[in-house]
PDB file of all heavy atoms in Angstrom:
ATOM      1  N   ASN A 100     114.339 249.093 115.951  1.00  0.00           N
ATOM      2  CA  ASN A 100     115.022 250.351 116.015  1.00  0.00           C
ATOM      3  C   ASN A 100     116.353 250.285 115.263  1.00  0.00           C
ATOM      4  O   ASN A 100     116.751 251.260 114.562  1.00  0.00           O
ATOM      5  CB  ASN A 100     115.360 250.753 117.467  1.00  0.00           C
ATOM      6  CG  ASN A 100     114.421 251.887 117.917  1.00  0.00           C
ATOM      7  OD1 ASN A 100     114.620 252.974 117.490  1.00  0.00           O
ATOM      8  ND2 ASN A 100     113.441 251.583 118.722  1.00  0.00           N
ATOM      9  N   LEU A 101     117.083 249.196 115.412  1.00  0.00           N
ATOM     10  CA  LEU A 101     118.323 249.032 114.671  1.00  0.00           C
ATOM     11  C   LEU A 101     118.078 249.060 113.172  1.00  0.00           C
ATOM     12  O   LEU A 101     118.783 249.725 112.399  1.00  0.00           O
ATOM     13  CB  LEU A 101     119.058 247.719 115.069  1.00  0.00           C
ATOM     14  CG  LEU A 101     119.722 247.820 116.476  1.00  0.00           C
ATOM     15  CD1 LEU A 101     120.096 246.404 116.951  1.00  0.00           C
ATOM     16  CD2 LEU A 101     120.933 248.669 116.385  1.00  0.00           C
ATOM     17  N   ALA A 102     117.071 248.351 112.757  1.00  0.00           N
ATOM     18  CA  ALA A 102     116.681 248.342 111.263  1.00  0.00           C
ATOM     19  C   ALA A 102     116.316 249.750 110.819  1.00  0.00           C
ATOM     20  O   ALA A 102     116.709 250.185 109.724  1.00  0.00           O
ATOM     21  CB  ALA A 102     115.577 247.351 111.012  1.00  0.00           C
ATOM     22  N   LEU A 103     115.547 250.449 111.646  1.00  0.00           N
ATOM     23  CA  LEU A 103     115.161 251.775 111.250  1.00  0.00           C
ATOM     24  C   LEU A 103     116.350 252.676 111.128  1.00  0.00           C
ATOM     25  O   LEU A 103     116.511 253.487 110.201  1.00  0.00           O
ATOM     26  CB  LEU A 103     114.194 252.289 112.365  1.00  0.00           C
ATOM     27  CG  LEU A 103     113.724 253.721 112.170  1.00  0.00           C
ATOM     28  CD1 LEU A 103     112.747 253.846 110.948  1.00  0.00           C
ATOM     29  CD2 LEU A 103     112.943 254.201 113.411  1.00  0.00           C
ATOM     30  N   MET A 104     117.212 252.630 112.142  1.00  0.00           N
ATOM     31  CA  MET A 104     118.416 253.463 112.140  1.00  0.00           C
ATOM     32  C   MET A 104     119.303 253.207 110.912  1.00  0.00           C
ATOM     33  O   MET A 104     119.764 254.113 110.202  1.00  0.00           O
ATOM     34  CB  MET A 104     119.190 253.284 113.448  1.00  0.00           C
ATOM     35  CG  MET A 104     120.313 254.267 113.712  1.00  0.00           C
ATOM     36  SD  MET A 104     121.805 253.827 112.882  1.00  0.00           S
ATOM     37  CE  MET A 104     122.317 252.366 113.680  1.00  0.00           C
ATOM     38  N   ILE A 105     119.568 251.892 110.667  1.00  0.00           N
ATOM     39  CA  ILE A 105     120.392 251.535 109.500  1.00  0.00           C
ATOM     40  C   ILE A 105     119.762 252.001 108.223  1.00  0.00           C
ATOM     41  O   ILE A 105     120.322 252.542 107.288  1.00  0.00           O
ATOM     42  CB  ILE A 105     120.687 250.015 109.500  1.00  0.00           C
ATOM     43  CG1 ILE A 105     121.529 249.588 110.679  1.00  0.00           C
ATOM     44  CG2 ILE A 105     121.391 249.627 108.178  1.00  0.00           C
ATOM     45  CD1 ILE A 105     121.615 248.098 110.840  1.00  0.00           C
ATOM     46  N   GLY A 106     118.407 251.766 108.085  1.00  0.00           N
ATOM     47  CA  GLY A 106     117.661 252.082 106.909  1.00  0.00           C
ATOM     48  C   GLY A 106     117.712 253.633 106.681  1.00  0.00           C
ATOM     49  O   GLY A 106     118.027 254.097 105.569  1.00  0.00           O
ATOM     50  N   LYS A 107     117.407 254.401 107.692  1.00  0.00           N
ATOM     51  CA  LYS A 107     117.377 255.908 107.470  1.00  0.00           C
ATOM     52  C   LYS A 107     118.762 256.435 107.202  1.00  0.00           C
ATOM     53  O   LYS A 107     118.998 257.257 106.336  1.00  0.00           O
ATOM     54  CB  LYS A 107     116.863 256.542 108.753  1.00  0.00           C
ATOM     55  CG  LYS A 107     115.356 256.571 108.864  1.00  0.00           C
ATOM     56  CD  LYS A 107     114.818 257.669 109.715  1.00  0.00           C
ATOM     57  CE  LYS A 107     114.444 258.839 108.842  1.00  0.00           C
ATOM     58  NZ  LYS A 107     113.711 259.842 109.543  1.00  0.00           N
ATOM     59  N   ALA A 108     119.748 255.904 107.991  1.00  0.00           N
ATOM     60  CA  ALA A 108     121.131 256.397 107.782  1.00  0.00           C
ATOM     61  C   ALA A 108     121.605 256.049 106.331  1.00  0.00           C
ATOM     62  O   ALA A 108     122.300 256.876 105.716  1.00  0.00           O
ATOM     63  CB  ALA A 108     122.079 255.762 108.781  1.00  0.00           C
ATOM     64  N   SER A 109     121.218 254.887 105.836  1.00  0.00           N
ATOM     65  CA  SER A 109     121.675 254.503 104.528  1.00  0.00           C
ATOM     66  C   SER A 109     120.987 255.368 103.413  1.00  0.00           C
ATOM     67  O   SER A 109     121.579 255.655 102.369  1.00  0.00           O
ATOM     68  CB  SER A 109     121.340 253.017 104.222  1.00  0.00           C
ATOM     69  OG  SER A 109     121.941 252.188 105.171  1.00  0.00           O
ATOM     70  N   LEU A 110     119.755 255.769 103.671  1.00  0.00           N
ATOM     71  CA  LEU A 110     119.049 256.582 102.656  1.00  0.00           C
ATOM     72  C   LEU A 110     119.545 258.011 102.712  1.00  0.00           C
ATOM     73  O   LEU A 110     119.659 258.623 101.635  1.00  0.00           O
ATOM     74  CB  LEU A 110     117.524 256.614 102.991  1.00  0.00           C
ATOM     75  CG  LEU A 110     116.708 255.402 102.597  1.00  0.00           C
ATOM     76  CD1 LEU A 110     115.261 255.568 103.150  1.00  0.00           C
ATOM     77  CD2 LEU A 110     116.674 255.310 101.044  1.00  0.00           C
ATOM     78  N   LEU A 111     119.866 258.546 103.860  1.00  0.00           N
ATOM     79  CA  LEU A 111     120.149 259.984 103.974  1.00  0.00           C
ATOM     80  C   LEU A 111     121.603 260.310 103.949  1.00  0.00           C
ATOM     81  O   LEU A 111     121.990 261.467 103.665  1.00  0.00           O
ATOM     82  CB  LEU A 111     119.563 260.470 105.337  1.00  0.00           C
ATOM     83  CG  LEU A 111     118.036 260.430 105.442  1.00  0.00           C
ATOM     84  CD1 LEU A 111     117.592 260.868 106.826  1.00  0.00           C
ATOM     85  CD2 LEU A 111     117.350 261.194 104.347  1.00  0.00           C
ATOM     86  N   LEU A 112     122.507 259.331 104.309  1.00  0.00           N
ATOM     87  CA  LEU A 112     123.871 259.683 104.518  1.00  0.00           C
ATOM     88  C   LEU A 112     124.804 258.797 103.712  1.00  0.00           C
ATOM     89  O   LEU A 112     124.497 257.614 103.475  1.00  0.00           O
ATOM     90  CB  LEU A 112     124.295 259.527 105.972  1.00  0.00           C
ATOM     91  CG  LEU A 112     123.479 260.323 107.014  1.00  0.00           C
ATOM     92  CD1 LEU A 112     123.760 259.789 108.424  1.00  0.00           C
ATOM     93  CD2 LEU A 112     123.807 261.800 106.880  1.00  0.00           C
ATOM     94  N   ASP A 113     125.883 259.430 103.270  1.00  0.00           N
ATOM     95  CA  ASP A 113     127.098 258.591 102.855  1.00  0.00           C
ATOM     96  C   ASP A 113     127.982 258.430 103.975  1.00  0.00           C
ATOM     97  O   ASP A 113     128.410 259.469 104.594  1.00  0.00           O
ATOM     98  CB  ASP A 113     127.881 259.330 101.689  1.00  0.00           C
ATOM     99  CG  ASP A 113     127.191 259.168 100.336  1.00  0.00           C
ATOM    100  OD1 ASP A 113     126.646 258.025 100.080  1.00  0.00           O
ATOM    101  OD2 ASP A 113     127.149 260.119  99.594  1.00  0.00           O
ATOM    102  N   TRP A 114     128.181 257.238 104.386  1.00  0.00           N
ATOM    103  CA  TRP A 114     129.034 257.023 105.581  1.00  0.00           C
ATOM    104  C   TRP A 114     130.329 256.252 105.177  1.00  0.00           C
ATOM    105  O   TRP A 114     130.243 255.283 104.414  1.00  0.00           O
ATOM    106  CB  TRP A 114     128.338 256.439 106.781  1.00  0.00           C
ATOM    107  CG  TRP A 114     127.267 255.388 106.430  1.00  0.00           C
ATOM    108  CD1 TRP A 114     126.697 255.143 105.220  1.00  0.00           C
ATOM    109  CD2 TRP A 114     126.639 254.555 107.372  1.00  0.00           C
ATOM    110  NE1 TRP A 114     125.757 254.139 105.337  1.00  0.00           N
ATOM    111  CE2 TRP A 114     125.672 253.767 106.619  1.00  0.00           C
ATOM    112  CE3 TRP A 114     126.743 254.276 108.703  1.00  0.00           C
ATOM    113  CZ2 TRP A 114     124.911 252.821 107.230  1.00  0.00           C
ATOM    114  CZ3 TRP A 114     126.025 253.365 109.311  1.00  0.00           C
ATOM    115  CH2 TRP A 114     125.017 252.654 108.574  1.00  0.00           C
ATOM    116  N   LYS A 115     131.398 256.690 105.769  1.00  0.00           N
ATOM    117  CA  LYS A 115     132.681 256.063 105.477  1.00  0.00           C
ATOM    118  C   LYS A 115     133.365 255.602 106.764  1.00  0.00           C
ATOM    119  O   LYS A 115     133.501 256.412 107.699  1.00  0.00           O
ATOM    120  CB  LYS A 115     133.552 257.000 104.693  1.00  0.00           C
ATOM    121  CG  LYS A 115     134.816 256.398 104.162  1.00  0.00           C
ATOM    122  CD  LYS A 115     135.420 257.176 102.997  1.00  0.00           C
ATOM    123  CE  LYS A 115     136.806 256.628 102.617  1.00  0.00           C
ATOM    124  NZ  LYS A 115     136.873 255.165 102.534  1.00  0.00           N
ATOM    125  N   HIS A 116     133.696 254.347 106.808  1.00  0.00           N
ATOM    126  CA  HIS A 116     134.467 253.847 107.984  1.00  0.00           C
ATOM    127  C   HIS A 116     135.951 253.957 107.635  1.00  0.00           C
ATOM    128  O   HIS A 116     136.378 253.708 106.564  1.00  0.00           O
ATOM    129  CB  HIS A 116     134.101 252.373 108.179  1.00  0.00           C
ATOM    130  CG  HIS A 116     134.700 251.727 109.395  1.00  0.00           C
ATOM    131  ND1 HIS A 116     135.003 250.419 109.422  1.00  0.00           N
ATOM    132  CD2 HIS A 116     135.114 252.287 110.578  1.00  0.00           C
ATOM    133  CE1 HIS A 116     135.597 250.149 110.584  1.00  0.00           C
ATOM    134  NE2 HIS A 116     135.633 251.251 111.292  1.00  0.00           N
ATOM    135  N   HIS A 117     136.655 254.488 108.613  1.00  0.00           N
ATOM    136  CA  HIS A 117     138.179 254.600 108.443  1.00  0.00           C
ATOM    137  C   HIS A 117     138.807 253.563 109.320  1.00  0.00           C
ATOM    138  O   HIS A 117     139.177 253.831 110.477  1.00  0.00           O
ATOM    139  CB  HIS A 117     138.577 255.999 108.845  1.00  0.00           C
ATOM    140  CG  HIS A 117     137.855 257.070 108.095  1.00  0.00           C
ATOM    141  ND1 HIS A 117     138.141 257.469 106.792  1.00  0.00           N
ATOM    142  CD2 HIS A 117     136.754 257.810 108.425  1.00  0.00           C
ATOM    143  CE1 HIS A 117     137.286 258.370 106.377  1.00  0.00           C
ATOM    144  NE2 HIS A 117     136.440 258.591 107.333  1.00  0.00           N
ATOM    145  N   PRO A 118     138.922 252.319 108.837  1.00  0.00           N
ATOM    146  CA  PRO A 118     139.439 251.253 109.707  1.00  0.00           C
ATOM    147  C   PRO A 118     140.811 251.491 110.234  1.00  0.00           C
ATOM    148  O   PRO A 118     141.636 252.162 109.515  1.00  0.00           O
ATOM    149  CB  PRO A 118     139.395 249.985 108.790  1.00  0.00           C
ATOM    150  CG  PRO A 118     138.783 250.445 107.547  1.00  0.00           C
ATOM    151  CD  PRO A 118     138.709 251.872 107.503  1.00  0.00           C
ATOM    152  N   THR A 119     141.137 251.052 111.378  1.00  0.00           N
ATOM    153  CA  THR A 119     142.461 251.144 111.998  1.00  0.00           C
ATOM    154  C   THR A 119     142.809 249.680 112.333  1.00  0.00           C
ATOM    155  O   THR A 119     141.959 248.806 112.392  1.00  0.00           O
ATOM    156  CB  THR A 119     142.479 252.027 113.210  1.00  0.00           C
ATOM    157  OG1 THR A 119     141.822 251.290 114.297  1.00  0.00           O
ATOM    158  CG2 THR A 119     141.784 253.368 112.999  1.00  0.00           C
ATOM    159  N   PRO A 120     144.078 249.470 112.734  1.00  0.00           N
ATOM    160  CA  PRO A 120     144.473 248.126 113.124  1.00  0.00           C
ATOM    161  C   PRO A 120     143.653 247.607 114.354  1.00  0.00           C
ATOM    162  O   PRO A 120     143.620 246.395 114.540  1.00  0.00           O
ATOM    163  CB  PRO A 120     145.947 248.222 113.474  1.00  0.00           C
ATOM    164  CG  PRO A 120     146.451 249.421 112.709  1.00  0.00           C
ATOM    165  CD  PRO A 120     145.243 250.356 112.641  1.00  0.00           C
ATOM    166  N   LYS A 121     143.021 248.516 115.080  1.00  0.00           N
ATOM    167  CA  LYS A 121     142.300 248.082 116.262  1.00  0.00           C
ATOM    168  C   LYS A 121     140.771 248.019 116.029  1.00  0.00           C
ATOM    169  O   LYS A 121     140.035 247.710 116.947  1.00  0.00           O
ATOM    170  CB  LYS A 121     142.551 249.133 117.396  1.00  0.00           C
ATOM    171  CG  LYS A 121     144.030 249.176 117.792  1.00  0.00           C
ATOM    172  CD  LYS A 121     144.189 249.625 119.199  1.00  0.00           C
ATOM    173  CE  LYS A 121     145.536 249.182 119.724  1.00  0.00           C
ATOM    174  NZ  LYS A 121     145.751 249.540 121.081  1.00  0.00           N
ATOM    175  N   SER A 122     140.369 248.220 114.776  1.00  0.00           N
ATOM    176  CA  SER A 122     138.889 248.201 114.475  1.00  0.00           C
ATOM    177  C   SER A 122     138.216 246.891 114.891  1.00  0.00           C
ATOM    178  O   SER A 122     137.088 246.820 115.288  1.00  0.00           O
ATOM    179  CB  SER A 122     138.678 248.475 113.023  1.00  0.00           C
ATOM    180  OG  SER A 122     138.990 249.785 112.719  1.00  0.00           O
ATOM    181  N   GLU A 123     138.899 245.747 114.722  1.00  0.00           N
ATOM    182  CA  GLU A 123     138.282 244.437 114.959  1.00  0.00           C
ATOM    183  C   GLU A 123     138.541 243.975 116.390  1.00  0.00           C
ATOM    184  O   GLU A 123     138.126 242.876 116.798  1.00  0.00           O
ATOM    185  CB  GLU A 123     138.675 243.460 113.935  1.00  0.00           C
ATOM    186  CG  GLU A 123     138.166 243.690 112.537  1.00  0.00           C
ATOM    187  CD  GLU A 123     136.682 243.851 112.445  1.00  0.00           C
ATOM    188  OE1 GLU A 123     135.959 243.050 113.080  1.00  0.00           O
ATOM    189  OE2 GLU A 123     136.263 244.755 111.790  1.00  0.00           O
ATOM    190  N   GLU A 124     139.334 244.796 117.152  1.00  0.00           N
ATOM    191  CA  GLU A 124     139.555 244.410 118.548  1.00  0.00           C
ATOM    192  C   GLU A 124     138.393 244.951 119.376  1.00  0.00           C
ATOM    193  O   GLU A 124     137.829 246.006 119.069  1.00  0.00           O
ATOM    194  CB  GLU A 124     140.854 244.958 119.080  1.00  0.00           C
ATOM    195  CG  GLU A 124     142.048 244.184 118.549  1.00  0.00           C
ATOM    196  CD  GLU A 124     143.388 244.779 119.031  1.00  0.00           C
ATOM    197  OE1 GLU A 124     143.400 245.239 120.246  1.00  0.00           O
ATOM    198  OE2 GLU A 124     144.354 244.847 118.301  1.00  0.00           O
TER     199      GLU A 124
END
Side-chain angles (χ1 to χ4, degrees):
N100 254 289
L101 284 167
L103 178 67
M104 190 278 292
I105 294 170
K107 279 205 94 167
S109 304
L110 281 173
L111 298 177
L112 303 169
D113 279 323
W114 34 346
K115 187 161 173 42
H116 184 210
H117 306 279
T119 72
K121 298 207 157 181
S122 292
E123 293 304 317
E124 285 181 38

